[in-house]
Amino acid sequence: MSRNEYQRQLVELRETVLEMSDLVCQRLRQALEALETKDDALAEEIIAGDHEVNELYLEIEQRCIELFALQQPVAGDLRFVAASFKIITDLERIGDLAVNLGEYTQQAERERYSEIDIGYIGTQTVEMVETAMEAYADDDAATPHDIAAMDDETDALCEGASEAVVRDLLEFETTAAAEIGDDALLEDVSRMLLTVRDLERVGDHAVNIAARTLYMVENDDELIY
């Protein structure tokens, strides 16, 4: 294979990874919208469309394997292909978390914890993923550190939200619990805690993407954990 063809394959790999990122972030934003508006139809669309993310993941995975096996990339090219391979795994898992949010939307029957701004936390995590992917697209070694700092803020928001749910559960009057039923109350609590946990995981995956980008560009594994 000519050098030009090899370089073309590397360019196409990056473009396809970015295509997968766009799809995943779109699904995540839609999942947050469905959760906020209790849009069961949109939630079902997200759940049903998960196969598109999975198929794209498998396509890119195969491209990476072929580049490893047939081209045996070295130095910067090797780090790029390896980072791309790792990043699509994080993107696929973010897609799974979007599906989770769709399922929570379908399960919810009442509004509770209105004081917790899930929309804000969710938007922040999507922006983290998008910013991390912009760094990947631009070979930007500075932004990954910003993503790690943003994750600290997201973790604090998620911790505060979880504490608010637990505090509400502990303070909830027995008479009020009897009106909606203990099982229903616990389902609300569990669903909100899972929602917060999943959004925190999205942030963690954004940090993973940033860490792989930093390693790809600078051969620096500082953020990898």
Side-chain angles (χ1 to χ4, degrees), residues 17-18 20-21 24 57 60 64 79-94 129 132-133 135-137 205-206 208-214 216:
V17 172
L18 292 171
M20 181 177 179
S21 170
V24 167
Y57 168 81
I60 300 171
C64 291
R79 293 198 305 273
F80 165 68
V81 177
S84 299
F85 188 84
K86 291 287 188 179
I87 285 170
I88 62 170
T89 300
D90 283 295
L91 291 174
E92 191 273 335
R93 289 174 180 169
I94 293 170
V129 176
M133 290 306 303
Y136 166 81
H205 287 301
N208 289 347
I209 292 169
R212 296 298 173 184
T213 296
L214 180 61
M216 175 184 79

Side-chain angles (χ1 to χ4, degrees), residues 5-183:
E5 175 63 16
Y6 172 58
Q7 289 300 321
R8 185 188 65 78
Q9 288 191 3
L10 294 178
V11 169
E12 288 183 351
L13 173 59
R14 192 188 302 256
E15 290 175 347
T16 312
V17 172
L18 292 171
E19 177 186 343
M20 181 177 179
S21 170
D22 288 343
L23 177 59
V24 167
C25 288
Q26 177 190 33
R27 293 292 167 79
L28 187 54
R29 287 190 181 277
Q30 289 175 330
L32 290 166
E33 178 186 347
L35 194 63
E36 184 176 358
T37 61
K38 189 60 177 70
D39 188 336
D40 287 346
L42 181 57
E44 180 58 35
E45 180 181 329
I46 294 160
I47 295 168
D50 187 48
H51 69 92
E52 295 178 36
V53 174
N54 293 336
E55 288 171 0
L56 197 50
Y57 168 81
L58 292 174
E59 175 189 333
I60 300 171
E61 180 186 56
Q62 185 60 38
R63 288 192 183 195
C64 291
I65 291 172
E66 290 175 355
L67 282 166
F68 282 132
L70 302 179
Q71 302 304 320
Q72 299 180 346
V74 296
D77 288 348
L78 176 60
R79 293 198 305 273
F80 165 68
V81 177
S84 299
F85 188 84
K86 291 287 188 179
I87 285 170
I88 62 170
T89 300
D90 283 295
L91 291 174
E92 191 273 335
R93 289 174 180 169
I94 293 170
D96 290 341
L97 294 171
V99 169
N100 287 355
L101 295 178
E103 292 173 346
Y104 301 152
T105 297
Q106 294 181 327
Q107 295 164 5
E109 296 180 357
R110 64 189 63 79
E111 291 186 5
R112 189 166 178 79
Y113 310 115
S114 57
E115 73 278 10
I116 299 175
D117 194 346
I118 287 295
Y120 177 78
I121 298 173
T123 298
Q124 176 136 325
T125 61
V126 179
E127 289 176 354
M128 287 173 62
V129 176
E130 291 175 337
T131 303
M133 290 306 303
E134 288 171 3
Y136 166 81
D138 298 335
D139 287 332
D140 178 357
T143 298
H145 293 283
D146 297 335
I147 300 297
M150 290 173 66
D151 190 51
D152 291 338
E153 179 183 349
T154 300
D155 287 346
L157 289 171
C158 290
E159 182 179 359
S162 296
E163 289 176 353
V165 173
V166 173
R167 184 167 57 249
D168 178 77
L169 177 62
L170 294 174
E171 295 174 353
F172 205 67
E173 296 181 4
T174 304
T175 53
E179 290 178 3
I180 68 171
D182 290 340
D183 290 345

